[in-house]
Amino acid sequence: MKVAFHTLGCKVNQYETEALAESFKKKGYEIAAEGEHADVHVINTCTVTGEADRKSRQCIRRIKRADPRSIVAVTGCYAQASPGEVGEIDGVDIVVGNKNKMGLPESVERFLAAGAPVCDSEPLDAAWGHGEAGDISAMEGRTRAYIKIQDGCNRFCSYCIVPYVRGGIRSRPAESVISEARRLIEGGYKEIVLAGINTALYGAEGGFPDGSLESIIGELDRLDGDFRIRLSSLEPTVIDADYVKKLFKYEKLCRHIHLSLQSGSDETLKRMNRRYSMGEYMEIVSALRGFDPDYGISTDMIAGFPGESEHDFNKSLEVLEKVDFCKVHVFRYSDRKGTAASEMCAHVSGDERNRRRALLLDGGERSARRFFERNIGQERRVLVEEYIEGKGMYAGYTENYIRAFIDASYASEVCAGSALNEFAQVRLSGLFMDGMEARAERREHETFI
């Protein structure tokens, strides 16, 4: 039988989809190619916003229309939050919440045996369940691999549904993380991305014997091989300026951090229960940029949080002018039932949220453009990830998270065959598309770009 996978949402979901694929293969299933008929479609959903719910429903319906004879199994955060709602969508045969996600192959087998709908969704707990982390040896593509090191969160930001659908903190044993990383590096992956629901909380639960995020990074940094380490995110609700300074000594760690902000207003941050002030956030930024003036910092911003005044909103715009972020992800506030924010007064109208989102997007683009401009003329190392046919260019990311585009003619001078999954030493020459154009720099000891 053939099984196809469809993933919405975060890097943790992407990792878990790969782990599920390996579980199905071990049971004799064949992985269907994109667009190919599959006997089973697995949809790994997200519920972080109302828009995420809508996209999950659209995905389910689209797949059933395209492949009406298939079995549709829905898992992930939307299935955990609203299993009844998901089960009522026409064409859904199996609903499996996050707690039982890694048992999904068995849920499919039960459906095949009984021919009746299956719902495996139950409340989460703080215990790290059997197989919850998965165990992968490959990921789609051949350059970047995610490793899930942690699940769950206990911060309870007032707008966030995630602690309710992912549960409390559970950290993965260090030996398992390092073993999986070593296997992926030996398999040719050149970027290891440490992913989690709140990565900085690794090891923060009581009684966990295996250290902290910093200790995991240290162990990875000592592994042999030409590869780099990237953090998927660090939360200023957990870390501070002194914390990030400890990370500067690790040579293989990319000079890029995703540091969620959400709002530039102290008053809004308090209502969000974010547990830091703008002053404390800027201290982290200053530490990063003090170490490297062009340290890549990406962030998230929410437009139209309940009670956000025009003054509060303008504070967010001001931050985008102060900090040259390499990337700004902007979200319109989305009401999530069961969260503290859902019960707050003074909700901002939909039209006003849209207006503020548009202004934040514009401010974020200007912020990134300034960051790119200050990198013009710099030499950077790029991991080449794709070839863009229509442009005749290779593309990949620098260590400080700039998407670099390299003309293929430069590659042909020094590279026999494909340049994919190779490091390229480049000089960034100017703005281009959603990143920067780069010219490859020949090095006598290099056989790639």
Side-chain angles (χ1 to χ4, degrees):
M1 295 184 73
K2 289 187 176 182
V3 58
F5 296 89
H6 314 268
T7 309
L8 298 96
C10 65
K11 292 178 176 65
V12 170
N13 260 11
Q14 293 175 46
Y15 174 90
E16 290 173 345
T17 292
E18 295 293 343
L20 278 171
E22 295 208 6
S23 295
F24 273 95
K25 282 191 285 188
K26 287 176 182 176
K27 288 187 172 292
Y29 287 79
E30 181 182 347
I31 307 302
E34 186 175 353
E36 185 182 13
H37 163 73
D39 301 287
V40 181
H41 285 272
V42 174
I43 304 162
N44 196 358
T45 61
C46 176
T47 193
V48 70
T49 64
E51 179 69 7
D53 286 354
R54 186 183 68 81
K55 287 182 177 179
S56 295
R57 291 190 294 269
Q58 282 184 334
C59 182
I60 294 165
R61 290 168 179 142
R62 183 176 66 251
I63 288 164
K64 195 62 179 181
R65 285 195 303 270
D67 209 352
R69 294 177 291 117
S70 65
I71 298 166
V72 172
V74 182
T75 188
C77 291
Y78 185 32
Q80 180 69 42
S82 307
E85 183 176 305
V86 172
E88 290 174 1
I89 299 172
D90 188 39
V92 172
D93 302 297
I94 301 166
V95 180
V96 177
N98 281 328
K99 185 173 183 179
N100 300 313
K101 181 183 281 187
M102 291 304 154
L104 204 150
E106 289 75 21
S107 298
V108 171
E109 296 298 323
R110 282 175 29 224
F111 175 82
L112 290 169
V118 172
C119 182
D120 286 334
S121 185
E122 56 183 296
L124 300 168
D125 55 43
W128 186 267
H130 172 70
E132 187 176 355
D135 187 22
I136 68 171
S137 57
M139 294 196 77
E140 185 178 349
R142 293 287 300 170
T143 58
R144 180 185 301 164
Y146 300 116
I147 296 182
K148 176 183 169 183
I149 66 169
Q150 177 271 343
D151 206 338
C153 185
N154 65 356
R155 300 284 95 176
F156 288 96
C157 298
S158 63
Y159 55 83
C160 187
I161 193 69
V162 170
Y164 303 97
V165 296
R166 282 285 181 174
I169 309 166
R170 289 97 69 206
S171 299
R172 187 174 174 186
E175 182 181 353
S176 174
V177 173
I178 302 304
S179 174
E180 185 166 284
R182 186 179 289 111
R183 187 165 59 250
L184 289 164
I185 293 162
E186 290 171 352
Y189 291 90
K190 297 199 172 179
E191 182 169 303
I192 301 299
V193 184
L194 301 183
I197 295 304
N198 192 332
T199 313
L201 287 173
Y202 179 83
E205 67 268 45
F208 184 73
D210 285 8
S212 64
L213 176 62
E214 186 197 352
S215 65
I216 283 286
I217 294 170
E219 289 192 55
L220 290 172
D221 193 65
R222 290 189 290 272
L223 293 180
D224 293 333
D226 187 16
F227 70 96
R228 64 191 188 188
I229 307 160
R230 194 179 295 276
L231 295 171
S232 59
S233 65
L234 285 182
E235 277 284 325
T237 58
V238 182
I239 60 104
D240 58 15
D242 289 335
Y243 185 101
V244 299
K245 289 175 184 176
K246 297 176 183 178
L247 305 181
F248 297 156
K249 62 180 175 285
Y250 300 115
E251 293 184 1
K252 291 178 179 175
L253 184 63
C254 289
R255 295 186 179 185
H256 162 243
I257 282 180
H258 183 84
L259 192 67
S260 294
L261 176 56
Q262 309 302 4
S263 174
S265 161
D266 282 338
E267 291 305 312
T268 302
L269 289 173
K270 287 178 184 176
R271 290 196 300 278
M272 288 179 168
N273 193 33
R274 289 294 286 172
R275 308 187 192 200
Y276 57 86
S277 67
M278 268 309 305
E280 290 166 327
Y281 185 92
M282 291 304 295
E283 285 177 5
I284 301 173
V285 171
S286 295
L288 295 169
R289 293 280 165 81
F291 174 68
D292 179 349
D294 297 305
Y295 208 104
I297 305 171
S298 50
T299 198
D300 299 317
M301 300 285 276
I302 294 176
F305 187 78
E308 181 186 68
S309 67
E310 190 70 17
H311 175 75
D312 294 328
F313 173 67
N314 286 334
K315 290 289 185 182
S316 292
L317 292 178
E318 288 173 12
V319 177
L320 298 182
E321 295 299 319
K322 289 179 182 176
V323 181
D324 295 341
F325 292 103
C326 61
K327 180 71 177 179
V328 180
H329 302 270
V330 179
F331 301 91
R332 194 179 93 142
Y333 169 74
S334 183
D335 185 60
R336 301 280 78 192
K337 298 298 182 186
T339 64
S342 181
E343 304 300 321
M344 290 181 179
C345 301
H347 277 241
V348 178
S349 71
D351 287 345
E352 180 61 15
R353 277 181 272 165
N354 287 337
R355 184 187 75 87
R356 293 180 185 181
R357 179 177 180 271
L359 289 172
L360 286 174
L361 284 170
D362 184 63
E365 288 176 3
R366 291 197 308 273
S367 185
R369 190 159 54 246
R370 289 193 304 272
F371 181 75
F372 296 159
E373 287 171 345
R374 58 198 269 174
N375 277 267
I376 291 175
Q378 290 197 14
E379 195 173 297
R380 291 284 176 181
R381 203 174 191 222
V382 174
L383 178 57
V384 181
E385 299 182 49
E386 62 176 322
Y387 178 70
I388 306 172
E389 290 282 351
K391 298 288 183 181
M393 305 186 90
Y394 289 99
Y397 282 88
T398 64
E399 70 276 17
N400 65 339
Y401 207 62
I402 297 172
R403 194 174 187 215
F405 297 86
I406 310 161
D407 193 295
S409 62
Y410 299 146
S412 64
E413 297 174 11
V414 291
C415 182
S418 175
L420 296 176
N421 198 34
E422 297 288 359
F423 284 113
Q425 201 72 23
V426 305
R427 191 170 299 279
L428 301 172
S429 56
L431 306 187
F432 185 77
M433 294 177 62
D434 59 344
M436 298 187 70
E437 193 167 13
R439 183 172 184 119
E441 300 283 304
R442 180 192 276 272
R443 290 290 182 272
E444 289 182 4
H445 66 280
E446 289 173 339
T447 58
F448 42 85
I449 296 180

